Amino acid sequence: MTQPAVHGQFRQDAPQDAPHGSARNPVQGFPPGTASGRPGREPGVRAVTWRKAAAIAAAGIPAGLLWWLLAPSGLNLLSGNPELRSGGNTEGWLLRDLILAGLFLLAGCISGAVASGSRHKGPSGGDVLLAVGAGALGALAAWGTGVLCGLWWGAPEDTASASIAFSLRSLAVLAIWPAATALAVFLNTVFSKPAPDAGHAADLGDTEQPSG
């Protein structure tokens, strides 16, 4: 005569404790922010360090030197027109500002790419502010470097007008570098997709398998 099986007598009937972070509790065992499928930001890790910010600001010095080499009333390597070597030629004033604006736009895009971090370590609000501030300092450094190059190596001219000497006529150009940095960080944050967490995907796959 067969006796009824007592609950818990056999091993398969005994309650089993789900391991930490297993399929029964997929939320446990993951760092903060990874339960939703997005990689979390490690505490204490900054996308923009002070060393990176100093490098962004220091990049204004070679940018200002390049501005003097390319722009009219400087060495004028971009146009090659000898008439634009003189700061008294008003046709070169706008081109001089546009060249610096283009350099600032390029520098801002590079600074934004540096400040964007990686897919696993995105920038915080403080990182963005630090990168934008470094871009503003870089723009001022580039402007000052170009003016000093014009004073040291430029031909002596009548400086009755501030636009005749090698300088910047529109100060609004200085805002292009930090603005481009902020825009590059924003676009990278919007269009970048976080890499899927392999361990989290594996646990989700276990939950979909029917229990035998």
Side-chain angles (χ1 to χ4, degrees), residues 72-84:
S73 69
L75 203 56
N76 194 29
L77 295 179
L78 185 61
S79 67
N81 188 356
E83 296 181 357
L84 298 180

Side-chain angles (χ1 to χ4, degrees), residues 68-112:
W68 183 82
L69 292 175
L70 297 177
S73 69
L75 203 56
N76 194 29
L77 295 179
L78 185 61
S79 67
N81 188 356
E83 296 181 357
L84 298 180
R85 287 293 303 272
S86 175
N89 191 344
T90 59
E91 295 181 358
W93 293 357
L94 178 59
L95 180 60
R96 186 173 60 195
D97 286 5
L98 291 178
I99 291 177
L100 185 59
L103 292 175
F104 283 172
L105 183 61
L106 176 62
C109 293
I110 297 176
S111 302

Side-chain angles (χ1 to χ4, degrees), residues 73 86-89 93 96 157-167:
S73 69
S86 175
N89 191 344
W93 293 357
R96 186 173 60 195
E157 296 182 4
D158 183 12
T159 57
S161 175
S163 299
I164 294 179
F166 190 86
S167 61

